[in-house]
Amino acid sequence: MTNEQAWDYAIGMIKVDDLEPTDDFKEYIEKEKNGEVTMEDAKKFLDKKYLNL
């Protein structure tokens, strides 16, 4: 499975629950797909956004 396929699968799983990723997260996904950021960067992004609620 490619990185892009993995993201597409993950987004599809979210949409099954009638949810949609935020626009800023979609932008981050594209950056990760393009190699501009790492998966570790994505984890930090999500942790910062959702663990500090």
Side-chain angles (χ1 to χ4, degrees):
M1 178 180 288
T2 67
N3 193 31
E4 186 166 349
Q5 289 171 323
W7 275 116
D8 291 343
Y9 179 82
I11 292 170
M13 293 302 294
I14 291 169
K15 289 182 176 185
V16 166
D17 292 329
D18 290 326
L19 300 173
E20 184 73 31
T22 62
D23 289 338
D24 60 334
F25 190 56
K26 286 179 187 176
E27 289 176 27
Y28 212 87
I29 290 169
E30 288 304 314
K31 287 181 181 180
E32 204 276 332
K33 284 181 180 180
N34 295 328
E36 298 172 41
V37 296
T38 65
M39 185 55 80
E40 183 62 30
D41 294 330
K43 182 184 179 318
K44 288 177 186 177
F45 171 81
L46 291 172
D47 286 349
K48 182 178 178 184
K49 185 170 181 100
Y50 295 108
L51 290 179
N52 295 321
L53 294 176

